[in-house]
Amino acid sequence: MTYNILVTDHNGKEHILEATPGFTIMEIIRDAGLDLEAICGGCCACATCHCYLNEEWTDKFEKADDDEEAMLDQAYEVKKNSRLTCRLNFSEELDGMKLILGPKF
Ligand code: FES
């Protein structure tokens, strides 16, 4: 069984990425070679892995904790559907989820 996520990059191009349960969304995007900085490597210390979740998927994740909210305060153009991809774990029920990469730093 393979699972996918759909990611729109900074140029507006949509990519279908194979996603493995247990990995973070950041790892899936980065390992696919898309332009996602993720400078801190997933430590919730840089906000360069910012994304906008498609509205229909926002409720599938736990709400952002205080650490994530604090880092999102450092990101550009934050919206109510903003999340840090390193804080989002992929699981089977997220098959087909969509997101858009946040603006580059
Ligand atoms: S990779 Fe740095 S906060 Fe997500």
PDB file of all heavy atoms in Angstrom, residues 44 47 49-51 53 57-75 78-89:
ATOM      1  N   CYS A  44      11.863  22.400  15.562  1.00  0.00           N
ATOM      2  CA  CYS A  44      10.922  23.473  15.885  1.00  0.00           C
ATOM      3  C   CYS A  44      11.671  24.721  16.333  1.00  0.00           C
ATOM      4  O   CYS A  44      11.327  25.352  17.321  1.00  0.00           O
ATOM      5  CB  CYS A  44       9.916  23.022  16.945  1.00  0.00           C
ATOM      6  SG  CYS A  44       8.477  24.109  17.071  1.00  0.00           S
ATOM      7  N   ALA A  47      11.193  27.799  11.765  1.00  0.00           N
ATOM      8  CA  ALA A  47       9.978  28.198  11.041  1.00  0.00           C
ATOM      9  C   ALA A  47      10.148  28.185   9.517  1.00  0.00           C
ATOM     10  O   ALA A  47       9.273  28.656   8.804  1.00  0.00           O
ATOM     11  CB  ALA A  47       9.461  29.564  11.490  1.00  0.00           C
ATOM     12  N   CYS A  49      10.002  25.657   7.695  1.00  0.00           N
ATOM     13  CA  CYS A  49       9.240  24.531   7.154  1.00  0.00           C
ATOM     14  C   CYS A  49       7.745  24.852   7.149  1.00  0.00           C
ATOM     15  O   CYS A  49       6.909  23.966   7.072  1.00  0.00           O
ATOM     16  CB  CYS A  49       9.510  23.264   7.956  1.00  0.00           C
ATOM     17  SG  CYS A  49       8.908  23.359   9.660  1.00  0.00           S
ATOM     18  N   HIS A  50       7.441  26.142   7.186  1.00  0.00           N
ATOM     19  CA  HIS A  50       6.062  26.655   7.248  1.00  0.00           C
ATOM     20  C   HIS A  50       5.242  26.197   6.037  1.00  0.00           C
ATOM     21  O   HIS A  50       5.715  26.237   4.910  1.00  0.00           O
ATOM     22  CB  HIS A  50       6.175  28.185   7.300  1.00  0.00           C
ATOM     23  CG  HIS A  50       4.893  28.931   7.253  1.00  0.00           C
ATOM     24  ND1 HIS A  50       4.837  30.246   6.864  1.00  0.00           N
ATOM     25  CD2 HIS A  50       3.619  28.576   7.549  1.00  0.00           C
ATOM     26  CE1 HIS A  50       3.593  30.677   6.928  1.00  0.00           C
ATOM     27  NE2 HIS A  50       2.838  29.679   7.338  1.00  0.00           N
ATOM     28  N   CYS A  51       4.000  25.791   6.297  1.00  0.00           N
ATOM     29  CA  CYS A  51       3.086  25.461   5.203  1.00  0.00           C
ATOM     30  C   CYS A  51       1.679  25.938   5.544  1.00  0.00           C
ATOM     31  O   CYS A  51       1.392  26.310   6.685  1.00  0.00           O
ATOM     32  CB  CYS A  51       3.041  23.953   4.952  1.00  0.00           C
ATOM     33  SG  CYS A  51       2.019  23.037   6.138  1.00  0.00           S
ATOM     34  N   LEU A  53      -2.007  24.381   5.420  1.00  0.00           N
ATOM     35  CA  LEU A  53      -2.777  23.157   5.217  1.00  0.00           C
ATOM     36  C   LEU A  53      -4.041  23.479   4.445  1.00  0.00           C
ATOM     37  O   LEU A  53      -4.689  24.504   4.696  1.00  0.00           O
ATOM     38  CB  LEU A  53      -3.188  22.553   6.562  1.00  0.00           C
ATOM     39  CG  LEU A  53      -2.114  21.844   7.383  1.00  0.00           C
ATOM     40  CD1 LEU A  53      -2.734  21.344   8.681  1.00  0.00           C
ATOM     41  CD2 LEU A  53      -1.499  20.695   6.612  1.00  0.00           C
ATOM     42  N   TRP A  57      -8.151  19.614   5.732  1.00  0.00           N
ATOM     43  CA  TRP A  57      -7.250  18.736   6.480  1.00  0.00           C
ATOM     44  C   TRP A  57      -6.823  19.331   7.821  1.00  0.00           C
ATOM     45  O   TRP A  57      -6.171  18.645   8.614  1.00  0.00           O
ATOM     46  CB  TRP A  57      -6.010  18.423   5.630  1.00  0.00           C
ATOM     47  CG  TRP A  57      -6.359  17.636   4.421  1.00  0.00           C
ATOM     48  CD1 TRP A  57      -6.605  18.110   3.165  1.00  0.00           C
ATOM     49  CD2 TRP A  57      -6.577  16.218   4.352  1.00  0.00           C
ATOM     50  NE1 TRP A  57      -6.948  17.083   2.317  1.00  0.00           N
ATOM     51  CE2 TRP A  57      -6.934  15.913   3.020  1.00  0.00           C
ATOM     52  CE3 TRP A  57      -6.485  15.185   5.287  1.00  0.00           C
ATOM     53  CZ2 TRP A  57      -7.208  14.611   2.607  1.00  0.00           C
ATOM     54  CZ3 TRP A  57      -6.768  13.886   4.873  1.00  0.00           C
ATOM     55  CH2 TRP A  57      -7.122  13.618   3.556  1.00  0.00           C
ATOM     56  N   THR A  58      -7.188  20.567   8.083  1.00  0.00           N
ATOM     57  CA  THR A  58      -6.682  21.208   9.308  1.00  0.00           C
ATOM     58  C   THR A  58      -7.140  20.484  10.582  1.00  0.00           C
ATOM     59  O   THR A  58      -6.397  20.404  11.552  1.00  0.00           O
ATOM     60  CB  THR A  58      -7.110  22.693   9.393  1.00  0.00           C
ATOM     61  OG1 THR A  58      -8.520  22.779   9.225  1.00  0.00           O
ATOM     62  CG2 THR A  58      -6.430  23.526   8.327  1.00  0.00           C
ATOM     63  N   ASP A  59      -8.354  19.948  10.553  1.00  0.00           N
ATOM     64  CA  ASP A  59      -8.878  19.291  11.757  1.00  0.00           C
ATOM     65  C   ASP A  59      -8.325  17.883  11.972  1.00  0.00           C
ATOM     66  O   ASP A  59      -8.599  17.256  12.990  1.00  0.00           O
ATOM     67  CB  ASP A  59     -10.411  19.199  11.688  1.00  0.00           C
ATOM     68  CG  ASP A  59     -11.057  20.571  11.769  1.00  0.00           C
ATOM     69  OD1 ASP A  59     -10.377  21.517  12.210  1.00  0.00           O
ATOM     70  OD2 ASP A  59     -12.230  20.689  11.388  1.00  0.00           O
ATOM     71  N   LYS A  60      -7.588  17.380  11.021  1.00  0.00           N
ATOM     72  CA  LYS A  60      -7.040  16.015  11.144  1.00  0.00           C
ATOM     73  C   LYS A  60      -5.805  15.970  12.034  1.00  0.00           C
ATOM     74  O   LYS A  60      -5.327  14.895  12.386  1.00  0.00           O
ATOM     75  CB  LYS A  60      -6.649  15.465   9.766  1.00  0.00           C
ATOM     76  CG  LYS A  60      -7.746  15.540   8.732  1.00  0.00           C
ATOM     77  CD  LYS A  60      -8.689  14.371   8.863  1.00  0.00           C
ATOM     78  CE  LYS A  60      -9.633  14.355   7.666  1.00  0.00           C
ATOM     79  NZ  LYS A  60     -10.890  13.715   7.994  1.00  0.00           N
ATOM     80  N   PHE A  61      -5.299  17.150  12.359  1.00  0.00           N
ATOM     81  CA  PHE A  61      -4.090  17.226  13.185  1.00  0.00           C
ATOM     82  C   PHE A  61      -4.423  17.822  14.550  1.00  0.00           C
ATOM     83  O   PHE A  61      -5.346  18.604  14.683  1.00  0.00           O
ATOM     84  CB  PHE A  61      -3.037  18.121  12.516  1.00  0.00           C
ATOM     85  CG  PHE A  61      -2.489  17.568  11.239  1.00  0.00           C
ATOM     86  CD1 PHE A  61      -3.068  17.916  10.025  1.00  0.00           C
ATOM     87  CD2 PHE A  61      -1.412  16.702  11.240  1.00  0.00           C
ATOM     88  CE1 PHE A  61      -2.569  17.408   8.834  1.00  0.00           C
ATOM     89  CE2 PHE A  61      -0.908  16.191  10.057  1.00  0.00           C
ATOM     90  CZ  PHE A  61      -1.485  16.545   8.848  1.00  0.00           C
ATOM     91  N   GLU A  62      -3.619  17.438  15.546  1.00  0.00           N
ATOM     92  CA  GLU A  62      -3.700  18.106  16.843  1.00  0.00           C
ATOM     93  C   GLU A  62      -3.398  19.585  16.633  1.00  0.00           C
ATOM     94  O   GLU A  62      -2.631  19.945  15.740  1.00  0.00           O
ATOM     95  CB  GLU A  62      -2.630  17.530  17.781  1.00  0.00           C
ATOM     96  CG  GLU A  62      -2.718  16.054  18.024  1.00  0.00           C
ATOM     97  CD  GLU A  62      -3.482  15.731  19.294  1.00  0.00           C
ATOM     98  OE1 GLU A  62      -3.299  16.459  20.282  1.00  0.00           O
ATOM     99  OE2 GLU A  62      -4.251  14.774  19.268  1.00  0.00           O
ATOM    100  N   LYS A  63      -3.967  20.420  17.471  1.00  0.00           N
ATOM    101  CA  LYS A  63      -3.668  21.843  17.374  1.00  0.00           C
ATOM    102  C   LYS A  63      -2.182  22.093  17.677  1.00  0.00           C
ATOM    103  O   LYS A  63      -1.549  21.315  18.382  1.00  0.00           O
ATOM    104  CB  LYS A  63      -4.527  22.616  18.373  1.00  0.00           C
ATOM    105  CG  LYS A  63      -6.019  22.535  18.077  1.00  0.00           C
ATOM    106  CD  LYS A  63      -6.630  23.918  18.121  1.00  0.00           C
ATOM    107  CE  LYS A  63      -8.097  23.941  17.744  1.00  0.00           C
ATOM    108  NZ  LYS A  63      -8.431  23.395  16.454  1.00  0.00           N
ATOM    109  N   ALA A  64      -1.670  23.181  17.145  1.00  0.00           N
ATOM    110  CA  ALA A  64      -0.275  23.531  17.394  1.00  0.00           C
ATOM    111  C   ALA A  64      -0.059  23.760  18.884  1.00  0.00           C
ATOM    112  O   ALA A  64      -0.891  24.387  19.543  1.00  0.00           O
ATOM    113  CB  ALA A  64       0.091  24.791  16.617  1.00  0.00           C
ATOM    114  N   ASP A  65       1.054  23.249  19.410  1.00  0.00           N
ATOM    115  CA  ASP A  65       1.353  23.481  20.826  1.00  0.00           C
ATOM    116  C   ASP A  65       2.059  24.836  20.980  1.00  0.00           C
ATOM    117  O   ASP A  65       2.288  25.551  20.003  1.00  0.00           O
ATOM    118  CB  ASP A  65       2.182  22.320  21.409  1.00  0.00           C
ATOM    119  CG  ASP A  65       3.527  22.154  20.729  1.00  0.00           C
ATOM    120  OD1 ASP A  65       3.972  23.088  20.027  1.00  0.00           O
ATOM    121  OD2 ASP A  65       4.136  21.078  20.908  1.00  0.00           O
ATOM    122  N   ASP A  66       2.418  25.180  22.221  1.00  0.00           N
ATOM    123  CA  ASP A  66       3.007  26.500  22.480  1.00  0.00           C
ATOM    124  C   ASP A  66       4.322  26.693  21.736  1.00  0.00           C
ATOM    125  O   ASP A  66       4.612  27.785  21.242  1.00  0.00           O
ATOM    126  CB  ASP A  66       3.239  26.692  23.991  1.00  0.00           C
ATOM    127  CG  ASP A  66       1.921  26.842  24.742  1.00  0.00           C
ATOM    128  OD1 ASP A  66       0.875  27.034  24.090  1.00  0.00           O
ATOM    129  OD2 ASP A  66       1.946  26.767  25.984  1.00  0.00           O
ATOM    130  N   ASP A  67       5.129  25.644  21.645  1.00  0.00           N
ATOM    131  CA  ASP A  67       6.416  25.760  20.947  1.00  0.00           C
ATOM    132  C   ASP A  67       6.201  26.071  19.464  1.00  0.00           C
ATOM    133  O   ASP A  67       6.871  26.927  18.886  1.00  0.00           O
ATOM    134  CB  ASP A  67       7.218  24.456  21.064  1.00  0.00           C
ATOM    135  CG  ASP A  67       7.735  24.229  22.468  1.00  0.00           C
ATOM    136  OD1 ASP A  67       7.744  25.193  23.255  1.00  0.00           O
ATOM    137  OD2 ASP A  67       8.124  23.085  22.767  1.00  0.00           O
ATOM    138  N   GLU A  68       5.243  25.368  18.848  1.00  0.00           N
ATOM    139  CA  GLU A  68       4.977  25.608  17.431  1.00  0.00           C
ATOM    140  C   GLU A  68       4.396  27.006  17.226  1.00  0.00           C
ATOM    141  O   GLU A  68       4.793  27.716  16.302  1.00  0.00           O
ATOM    142  CB  GLU A  68       4.033  24.534  16.876  1.00  0.00           C
ATOM    143  CG  GLU A  68       3.791  24.702  15.381  1.00  0.00           C
ATOM    144  CD  GLU A  68       2.927  23.598  14.784  1.00  0.00           C
ATOM    145  OE1 GLU A  68       2.613  22.620  15.484  1.00  0.00           O
ATOM    146  OE2 GLU A  68       2.567  23.729  13.598  1.00  0.00           O
ATOM    147  N   GLU A  69       3.484  27.403  18.103  1.00  0.00           N
ATOM    148  CA  GLU A  69       2.894  28.753  17.985  1.00  0.00           C
ATOM    149  C   GLU A  69       3.983  29.817  18.102  1.00  0.00           C
ATOM    150  O   GLU A  69       3.978  30.809  17.375  1.00  0.00           O
ATOM    151  CB  GLU A  69       1.838  28.969  19.070  1.00  0.00           C
ATOM    152  CG  GLU A  69       0.580  28.139  18.918  1.00  0.00           C
ATOM    153  CD  GLU A  69      -0.327  28.635  17.796  1.00  0.00           C
ATOM    154  OE1 GLU A  69       0.013  29.621  17.129  1.00  0.00           O
ATOM    155  OE2 GLU A  69      -1.367  27.999  17.586  1.00  0.00           O
ATOM    156  N   ALA A  70       4.926  29.603  19.019  1.00  0.00           N
ATOM    157  CA  ALA A  70       6.007  30.580  19.198  1.00  0.00           C
ATOM    158  C   ALA A  70       6.859  30.684  17.941  1.00  0.00           C
ATOM    159  O   ALA A  70       7.272  31.783  17.544  1.00  0.00           O
ATOM    160  CB  ALA A  70       6.863  30.185  20.402  1.00  0.00           C
ATOM    161  N   MET A  71       7.126  29.555  17.308  1.00  0.00           N
ATOM    162  CA  MET A  71       7.933  29.603  16.075  1.00  0.00           C
ATOM    163  C   MET A  71       7.135  30.194  14.929  1.00  0.00           C
ATOM    164  O   MET A  71       7.680  30.932  14.098  1.00  0.00           O
ATOM    165  CB  MET A  71       8.420  28.206  15.691  1.00  0.00           C
ATOM    166  CG  MET A  71       9.668  27.719  16.378  1.00  0.00           C
ATOM    167  SD  MET A  71      10.948  28.950  16.697  1.00  0.00           S
ATOM    168  CE  MET A  71      11.296  29.600  15.091  1.00  0.00           C
ATOM    169  N   LEU A  72       5.852  29.900  14.859  1.00  0.00           N
ATOM    170  CA  LEU A  72       5.027  30.467  13.780  1.00  0.00           C
ATOM    171  C   LEU A  72       4.992  31.993  13.874  1.00  0.00           C
ATOM    172  O   LEU A  72       4.849  32.676  12.859  1.00  0.00           O
ATOM    173  CB  LEU A  72       3.614  29.891  13.827  1.00  0.00           C
ATOM    174  CG  LEU A  72       3.445  28.522  13.165  1.00  0.00           C
ATOM    175  CD1 LEU A  72       2.088  27.927  13.498  1.00  0.00           C
ATOM    176  CD2 LEU A  72       3.639  28.600  11.653  1.00  0.00           C
ATOM    177  N   ASP A  73       5.154  32.507  15.088  1.00  0.00           N
ATOM    178  CA  ASP A  73       5.215  33.970  15.248  1.00  0.00           C
ATOM    179  C   ASP A  73       6.403  34.565  14.498  1.00  0.00           C
ATOM    180  O   ASP A  73       6.418  35.753  14.192  1.00  0.00           O
ATOM    181  CB  ASP A  73       5.324  34.347  16.727  1.00  0.00           C
ATOM    182  CG  ASP A  73       3.984  34.225  17.446  1.00  0.00           C
ATOM    183  OD1 ASP A  73       2.955  34.128  16.755  1.00  0.00           O
ATOM    184  OD2 ASP A  73       3.988  34.228  18.681  1.00  0.00           O
ATOM    185  N   GLN A  74       7.403  33.740  14.210  1.00  0.00           N
ATOM    186  CA  GLN A  74       8.604  34.205  13.496  1.00  0.00           C
ATOM    187  C   GLN A  74       8.464  34.045  11.974  1.00  0.00           C
ATOM    188  O   GLN A  74       9.319  34.514  11.223  1.00  0.00           O
ATOM    189  CB  GLN A  74       9.838  33.386  13.928  1.00  0.00           C
ATOM    190  CG  GLN A  74      10.011  33.223  15.420  1.00  0.00           C
ATOM    191  CD  GLN A  74      10.339  34.526  16.105  1.00  0.00           C
ATOM    192  OE1 GLN A  74      11.126  35.299  15.604  1.00  0.00           O
ATOM    193  NE2 GLN A  74       9.698  34.774  17.234  1.00  0.00           N
ATOM    194  N   ALA A  75       7.430  33.351  11.535  1.00  0.00           N
ATOM    195  CA  ALA A  75       7.272  33.076  10.100  1.00  0.00           C
ATOM    196  C   ALA A  75       6.601  34.246   9.390  1.00  0.00           C
ATOM    197  O   ALA A  75       5.999  35.113  10.031  1.00  0.00           O
ATOM    198  CB  ALA A  75       6.439  31.798   9.911  1.00  0.00           C
ATOM    199  N   VAL A  78       1.698  34.494   8.105  1.00  0.00           N
ATOM    200  CA  VAL A  78       1.032  33.418   8.835  1.00  0.00           C
ATOM    201  C   VAL A  78      -0.481  33.568   8.706  1.00  0.00           C
ATOM    202  O   VAL A  78      -1.021  34.680   8.806  1.00  0.00           O
ATOM    203  CB  VAL A  78       1.459  33.432  10.320  1.00  0.00           C
ATOM    204  CG1 VAL A  78       0.672  32.419  11.125  1.00  0.00           C
ATOM    205  CG2 VAL A  78       2.951  33.172  10.431  1.00  0.00           C
ATOM    206  N   LYS A  79      -1.144  32.457   8.455  1.00  0.00           N
ATOM    207  CA  LYS A  79      -2.608  32.428   8.345  1.00  0.00           C
ATOM    208  C   LYS A  79      -3.145  31.421   9.359  1.00  0.00           C
ATOM    209  O   LYS A  79      -2.375  30.696   9.990  1.00  0.00           O
ATOM    210  CB  LYS A  79      -3.021  32.008   6.927  1.00  0.00           C
ATOM    211  CG  LYS A  79      -2.449  32.908   5.842  1.00  0.00           C
ATOM    212  CD  LYS A  79      -2.821  32.367   4.474  1.00  0.00           C
ATOM    213  CE  LYS A  79      -2.164  33.192   3.380  1.00  0.00           C
ATOM    214  NZ  LYS A  79      -2.393  32.605   2.040  1.00  0.00           N
ATOM    215  N   LYS A  80      -4.472  31.353   9.455  1.00  0.00           N
ATOM    216  CA  LYS A  80      -5.033  30.451  10.468  1.00  0.00           C
ATOM    217  C   LYS A  80      -4.781  28.979  10.143  1.00  0.00           C
ATOM    218  O   LYS A  80      -4.812  28.136  11.036  1.00  0.00           O
ATOM    219  CB  LYS A  80      -6.518  30.727  10.707  1.00  0.00           C
ATOM    220  CG  LYS A  80      -7.456  30.429   9.581  1.00  0.00           C
ATOM    221  CD  LYS A  80      -8.861  30.744  10.054  1.00  0.00           C
ATOM    222  CE  LYS A  80     -10.006  30.434   9.136  1.00  0.00           C
ATOM    223  NZ  LYS A  80      -9.807  30.142   7.786  1.00  0.00           N
ATOM    224  N   ASN A  81      -4.479  28.671   8.892  1.00  0.00           N
ATOM    225  CA  ASN A  81      -4.169  27.290   8.526  1.00  0.00           C
ATOM    226  C   ASN A  81      -2.661  27.052   8.413  1.00  0.00           C
ATOM    227  O   ASN A  81      -2.230  26.055   7.844  1.00  0.00           O
ATOM    228  CB  ASN A  81      -4.865  26.907   7.221  1.00  0.00           C
ATOM    229  CG  ASN A  81      -4.491  27.798   6.054  1.00  0.00           C
ATOM    230  OD1 ASN A  81      -4.083  28.944   6.252  1.00  0.00           O
ATOM    231  ND2 ASN A  81      -4.636  27.294   4.846  1.00  0.00           N
ATOM    232  N   SER A  82      -1.865  27.970   8.949  1.00  0.00           N
ATOM    233  CA  SER A  82      -0.413  27.795   8.953  1.00  0.00           C
ATOM    234  C   SER A  82      -0.004  26.720   9.949  1.00  0.00           C
ATOM    235  O   SER A  82      -0.524  26.677  11.069  1.00  0.00           O
ATOM    236  CB  SER A  82       0.282  29.104   9.348  1.00  0.00           C
ATOM    237  OG  SER A  82       0.237  30.043   8.311  1.00  0.00           O
ATOM    238  N   ARG A  83       0.945  25.907   9.546  1.00  0.00           N
ATOM    239  CA  ARG A  83       1.553  24.925  10.444  1.00  0.00           C
ATOM    240  C   ARG A  83       3.021  24.759  10.084  1.00  0.00           C
ATOM    241  O   ARG A  83       3.453  25.142   8.995  1.00  0.00           O
ATOM    242  CB  ARG A  83       0.854  23.544  10.331  1.00  0.00           C
ATOM    243  CG  ARG A  83      -0.578  23.514  10.771  1.00  0.00           C
ATOM    244  CD  ARG A  83      -0.792  23.856  12.237  1.00  0.00           C
ATOM    245  NE  ARG A  83      -0.075  22.989  13.168  1.00  0.00           N
ATOM    246  CZ  ARG A  83      -0.609  21.926  13.767  1.00  0.00           C
ATOM    247  NH1 ARG A  83      -1.870  21.612  13.546  1.00  0.00           N
ATOM    248  NH2 ARG A  83       0.110  21.192  14.608  1.00  0.00           N
ATOM    249  N   LEU A  84       3.762  24.165  11.000  1.00  0.00           N
ATOM    250  CA  LEU A  84       5.146  23.796  10.718  1.00  0.00           C
ATOM    251  C   LEU A  84       5.153  22.323  10.341  1.00  0.00           C
ATOM    252  O   LEU A  84       4.703  21.478  11.117  1.00  0.00           O
ATOM    253  CB  LEU A  84       6.030  24.038  11.936  1.00  0.00           C
ATOM    254  CG  LEU A  84       6.147  25.497  12.387  1.00  0.00           C
ATOM    255  CD1 LEU A  84       7.048  25.592  13.613  1.00  0.00           C
ATOM    256  CD2 LEU A  84       6.669  26.387  11.263  1.00  0.00           C
ATOM    257  N   THR A  85       5.667  22.037   9.149  1.00  0.00           N
ATOM    258  CA  THR A  85       5.585  20.655   8.658  1.00  0.00           C
ATOM    259  C   THR A  85       6.402  19.683   9.497  1.00  0.00           C
ATOM    260  O   THR A  85       6.117  18.488   9.502  1.00  0.00           O
ATOM    261  CB  THR A  85       6.028  20.563   7.185  1.00  0.00           C
ATOM    262  OG1 THR A  85       7.349  21.116   7.054  1.00  0.00           O
ATOM    263  CG2 THR A  85       5.069  21.303   6.271  1.00  0.00           C
ATOM    264  N   CYS A  86       7.403  20.190  10.237  1.00  0.00           N
ATOM    265  CA  CYS A  86       8.182  19.265  11.076  1.00  0.00           C
ATOM    266  C   CYS A  86       7.411  18.836  12.314  1.00  0.00           C
ATOM    267  O   CYS A  86       7.842  17.935  13.035  1.00  0.00           O
ATOM    268  CB  CYS A  86       9.530  19.863  11.451  1.00  0.00           C
ATOM    269  SG  CYS A  86       9.460  21.223  12.629  1.00  0.00           S
ATOM    270  N   ARG A  87       6.278  19.478  12.577  1.00  0.00           N
ATOM    271  CA  ARG A  87       5.459  19.132  13.744  1.00  0.00           C
ATOM    272  C   ARG A  87       4.262  18.275  13.353  1.00  0.00           C
ATOM    273  O   ARG A  87       3.409  17.976  14.192  1.00  0.00           O
ATOM    274  CB  ARG A  87       4.964  20.400  14.438  1.00  0.00           C
ATOM    275  CG  ARG A  87       6.077  21.352  14.813  1.00  0.00           C
ATOM    276  CD  ARG A  87       7.002  20.783  15.840  1.00  0.00           C
ATOM    277  NE  ARG A  87       6.487  20.977  17.188  1.00  0.00           N
ATOM    278  CZ  ARG A  87       7.124  20.632  18.290  1.00  0.00           C
ATOM    279  NH1 ARG A  87       8.294  20.038  18.215  1.00  0.00           N
ATOM    280  NH2 ARG A  87       6.590  20.851  19.456  1.00  0.00           N
ATOM    281  N   LEU A  88       4.184  17.904  12.088  1.00  0.00           N
ATOM    282  CA  LEU A  88       3.045  17.133  11.597  1.00  0.00           C
ATOM    283  C   LEU A  88       3.519  15.740  11.200  1.00  0.00           C
ATOM    284  O   LEU A  88       4.353  15.597  10.302  1.00  0.00           O
ATOM    285  CB  LEU A  88       2.422  17.831  10.375  1.00  0.00           C
ATOM    286  CG  LEU A  88       2.004  19.292  10.573  1.00  0.00           C
ATOM    287  CD1 LEU A  88       1.538  19.882   9.245  1.00  0.00           C
ATOM    288  CD2 LEU A  88       0.912  19.387  11.623  1.00  0.00           C
ATOM    289  N   ASN A  89       2.996  14.739  11.872  1.00  0.00           N
ATOM    290  CA  ASN A  89       3.375  13.367  11.547  1.00  0.00           C
ATOM    291  C   ASN A  89       2.408  12.779  10.540  1.00  0.00           C
ATOM    292  O   ASN A  89       1.192  12.929  10.674  1.00  0.00           O
ATOM    293  CB  ASN A  89       3.381  12.510  12.818  1.00  0.00           C
ATOM    294  CG  ASN A  89       4.494  12.918  13.758  1.00  0.00           C
ATOM    295  OD1 ASN A  89       5.639  13.073  13.356  1.00  0.00           O
ATOM    296  ND2 ASN A  89       4.142  13.127  15.012  1.00  0.00           N
TER     297      ASN A  89
END
